[in-house]
Amino acid sequence: MTFPSGNFSFPFTESEMPIRYGRYMLLKRRNVDAVGEEFLAARGVDDGVDQLRIVRGIYPELASESQFVGLFSEEARTLSRLASDNVVRVDETGSVADIPFVATEYVEGVTLERLLALARALDQKCPWELAAYISAELLRGLDYVHRREDILGKPMGMRHGDVRPANVIISYEGEVKLTNFSSTL
């Protein structure tokens, strides 16, 4: 699939945040790619409860492109069926003003990429015990995704197409979670 060229963005700036997006308050941009943006968001602010989430939405300019919306929505529905300690959980899928989004759990921690960069900056190597633990947890998550079956017992045929340190989060409690399953987009 080829992406339309252009400088797409959501119609608000960082200085306008926090900004309401459906039942979420978008607090901060976290990531930008060819298809959409990812935000740190709070859910439940109207109820007096702030639950942090990550909200990823397609650019408004692409929301009229049925092929992107179809792929994004199908991927979000598929990911919402995953329930593993080693995979970031999808909380909600939907759309706001005809712009599809997916909301996932927020994991307080650091990416493996950041952890490795910190070790390099300190001229340190990752202890082998930590490397073995992270590898084992990462493989546990990948095994779960690859073996996942639908409700009829048929293999879902899922693959994580973007396994790299930036897409592995290590929580401050030691959980290792795969994130960013946007391999089809």
Side-chain angles (χ1 to χ4, degrees):
M1 170 182 296
T2 58
F3 299 106
S5 59
N7 292 327
F8 303 127
S9 68
F10 276 78
F12 49 85
T13 64
E14 192 83 26
S15 65
E16 295 174 287
M17 290 185 192
I19 191 166
R20 180 160 298 279
Y21 185 76
R23 63 188 201 148
Y24 295 91
M25 289 298 289
L26 303 182
L27 306 173
K28 179 181 176 184
R29 272 189 177 87
R30 287 183 35 113
N31 197 13
V32 174
D33 62 30
V35 176
E37 295 185 28
E38 183 180 276
F39 301 90
L40 177 63
R43 181 178 78 180
V45 293
D46 296 331
D47 303 324
V49 179
D50 291 343
Q51 298 174 331
L52 292 178
R53 298 291 184 261
I54 300 299
V55 172
R56 177 172 164 67
I58 286 182
Y59 290 123
E61 297 90 347
L62 297 179
S64 62
E65 305 264 345
S66 61
Q67 64 182 359
F68 293 109
V69 172
L71 284 173
F72 184 89
S73 298
E74 179 57 32
E75 185 170 273
R77 278 190 298 277
T78 300
L79 294 176
S80 69
R81 297 179 187 124
L82 298 178
S84 167
D85 290 339
N86 300 106
V87 176
V88 170
R89 184 182 67 254
V90 172
D91 284 339
E92 179 181 7
T93 62
S95 65
V96 173
D98 295 325
I99 299 170
F101 74 89
V102 60
T104 64
E105 72 176 308
Y106 170 69
V107 179
E108 286 191 79
V110 296
T111 64
L112 180 56
E113 178 180 60
R114 178 78 176 128
L115 186 67
L116 294 172
L118 289 170
R120 277 192 303 275
L122 296 171
D123 200 26
Q124 300 288 315
K125 292 186 179 182
C126 183
W128 72 266
E129 298 91 346
L130 179 59
Y133 172 75
I134 292 170
S135 298
E137 293 298 298
L138 176 61
L139 290 170
R140 184 174 287 121
L142 288 170
D143 181 61
Y144 170 81
V145 169
H146 291 196
R147 291 176 185 257
R148 182 71 168 107
E149 296 176 342
D150 65 17
I151 58 173
L152 300 175
K154 295 179 184 174
M156 290 175 65
M158 295 186 68
R159 300 291 180 262
H160 189 291
D162 197 11
V163 178
R164 57 189 167 103
N167 292 332
V168 176
I169 301 173
I170 299 142
S171 78
Y172 294 133
E173 288 79 32
E175 302 165 303
V176 177
K177 295 188 177 246
L178 286 164
T179 188
N180 197 3
F181 280 78
S182 58
S183 57
T184 59
L185 289 176

